[in-house]
Amino acid sequence: MKFFKSSKNTEQERLESGLEQTRKGLFGKLGRLFKGKRKIDDDILDQIEEALVTSDVGINTTLEIIKRIQKRAAHDLYTSSEELQRLIHQEIRELLEQNQIDRPADFLTPLPQSPYVIMIVGVNGVGKTTTIGKLAWRYSEAGHSVLIGASDTFRAAAIEQLEVWANRAGAEIIKQKHGADPAAVAYDTVQSAMSRSSDVVIIDTAGRLHTKTGLMDELSKIKRVMGRQLTGAPHEVLLVLDATIGQNAVRQAQEFTRSVDVTGLIVTKLDGSAKGGIIIGISNEFKIPVKYIGIGEGIDDLQIFDRQRFVEALSVI
């Protein structure tokens, strides 16, 4: 397995590069629609709606954006297509602001508690293991000691892959043999973190199909067991979603949020998808903040989600 840091110099440059396909898709379509336009009529509204829906923003969120645009258009006069583009950028930014909480500017911000326990959930194939490695690396680079719990015990390969990422990230790992009780691994990890005075604990979990009731029961059990060991744990439950699967990510979010108290979202593989609009739809529909986004394969390509920078990166010509 290869690990590398991105060649781009700044996070904003990497973000713009990672969102290139979405920018060409969603905002490319909108830019063409607005060309030469100075007013918003029913025809252009229909075309905006189609552009948003086909970019996986989602029906409900698209209708809300259209409603907001109609309200603004009824009162404001636009003299150029550039003003129309700024309008929709502003409306998307404001929509994201409604469903986001303030995030620290970096990982150097003092943790609210130590150990700070983060539980990672999501189906197989969404990039859970690599995301854990990248998150652990971010915290380690910021000077925090990180302990990873390998609670996905159903696949021997999952434990091995996680161990490779832990070593690369400079984190320690607690593991048991293949087939061990996942809740027991989580319990041991939290207990070890307390005895070692670790700063951050990241718990991996199995990612079998989200329609399986057994998985959801297991996740609830892991959560309860950690809470008995350390009051308030886990302090975050982060759901990892793959941007490339579009509206299927919405269905996954529905299943997980029904069974587990998801506190935030991590959207991965944005660099390989033109469906970055899913961030807007999921954030709005579930009222759960997007915490992090994955915009590349480099170990440093996990970024704190910044709604303003996100919209700006989508707006780059």
Side-chain angles (χ1 to χ4, degrees):
M1 184 180 293
K2 294 182 179 179
F3 296 89
F4 58 91
K5 290 186 180 180
S6 299
S7 59
K8 291 285 186 179
N9 294 324
T10 69
E11 286 204 348
Q12 187 64 19
E13 287 177 319
R14 294 202 298 275
L15 181 60
E16 291 171 7
S17 176
L19 292 176
E20 182 178 3
Q21 291 191 50
T22 296
R23 181 169 60 250
K24 289 180 177 177
L26 173 56
F27 282 84
K29 292 175 187 175
L30 293 175
R32 290 189 293 273
L33 289 179
F34 292 144
K35 191 173 183 179
K37 300 285 185 178
R38 293 192 177 187
K39 67 177 183 177
I40 295 178
D41 53 25
D42 290 341
D43 179 58
I44 198 170
L45 284 172
D46 287 341
Q47 294 181 66
I48 293 172
E49 181 177 333
E50 181 181 355
L52 292 170
V53 170
T54 56
S55 297
D56 282 279
V57 172
I59 294 293
N60 293 334
T61 302
T62 293
L63 293 177
E64 184 169 346
I65 292 174
I66 294 296
K67 183 178 179 181
R68 294 165 70 108
I69 292 174
Q70 284 177 312
K71 185 176 180 180
R72 285 281 298 273
H75 298 90
D76 298 340
L77 178 64
Y78 301 96
T79 60
S80 68
S81 57
E82 288 76 14
E83 285 191 7
L84 289 175
Q85 290 191 60
R86 282 196 293 271
L87 162 65
I88 196 163
H89 294 165
Q90 182 178 353
E91 292 301 331
I92 289 174
R93 183 183 294 114
E94 290 179 359
L95 194 65
L96 286 169
E97 286 176 352
Q98 290 180 4
N99 306 304
Q100 289 294 125
I101 59 174
D102 291 334
R103 290 290 294 155
D106 53 46
F107 286 87
L108 295 171
T109 302
L111 297 166
Q113 180 171 333
S114 183
Y116 189 68
V117 182
I118 303 168
M119 180 176 171
I120 305 293
V121 302
V123 304
N124 287 334
V126 297
K128 230 166 7 84
T129 303
T130 56
T131 296
I132 290 171
K134 293 174 182 180
L135 188 60
W137 182 83
R138 284 286 190 179
Y139 276 116
S140 294
E141 284 289 292
H144 298 297
S145 56
V146 182
L147 186 61
I148 296 174
S151 285
D152 181 359
T153 61
F154 289 90
R155 291 187 307 122
I159 300 173
E160 296 169 2
Q161 292 164 5
L162 192 63
E163 188 167 20
V164 171
W165 275 99
N167 291 336
R168 177 60 179 171
E172 295 183 273
I173 186 170
I174 299 295
K175 62 179 183 176
Q176 293 185 15
K177 64 181 181 180
H178 173 225
D181 180 6
V185 178
Y187 183 91
D188 289 347
T189 304
V190 173
Q191 188 176 55
S192 296
M194 295 171 69
S195 64
R196 302 180 191 189
S197 298
S198 301
D199 298 319
V200 178
V201 174
I202 306 175
I203 303 294
D204 187 19
T205 59
R208 291 162 295 163
L209 289 175
H210 56 282
T211 53
K212 300 293 185 182
T213 303
L215 171 60
M216 298 307 173
D217 291 342
E218 176 188 288
L219 295 178
S220 297
K221 179 183 176 183
I222 292 172
K223 189 172 182 292
R224 289 194 306 271
V225 164
M226 288 193 291
R228 288 199 293 266
Q229 177 70 7
L230 176 64
T231 301
H235 305 103
E236 288 192 82
V237 178
L238 302 181
L239 171 61
V240 182
L241 298 170
D242 178 352
T244 65
I245 64 175
Q247 288 302 301
N248 283 332
V250 175
R251 288 189 282 276
Q252 290 178 13
Q254 288 171 339
E255 293 293 338
F256 277 97
T257 54
R258 251 188 231 119
S259 303
V260 186
D261 294 326
V262 175
T263 61
L265 306 174
I266 303 177
V267 181
T268 64
K269 307 182 186 180
L270 281 168
D271 57 309
S273 172
K275 300 180 178 181
I278 193 69
I279 284 182
I280 305 165
I282 286 181
S283 177
N284 183 58
E285 185 163 341
F286 294 96
K287 311 302 180 187
I288 298 173
V290 177
K291 296 288 189 74
Y292 306 102
I293 54 175
I295 43 84
E297 296 181 1
I299 197 169
D300 56 346
D301 279 328
L302 181 75
Q303 294 191 1
I304 293 173
F305 180 69
D306 183 310
R307 53 189 176 266
Q308 182 168 338
R309 286 175 52 195
F310 177 77
V311 176
E312 287 175 355
L314 288 177
S315 308
V316 173
I317 304 301

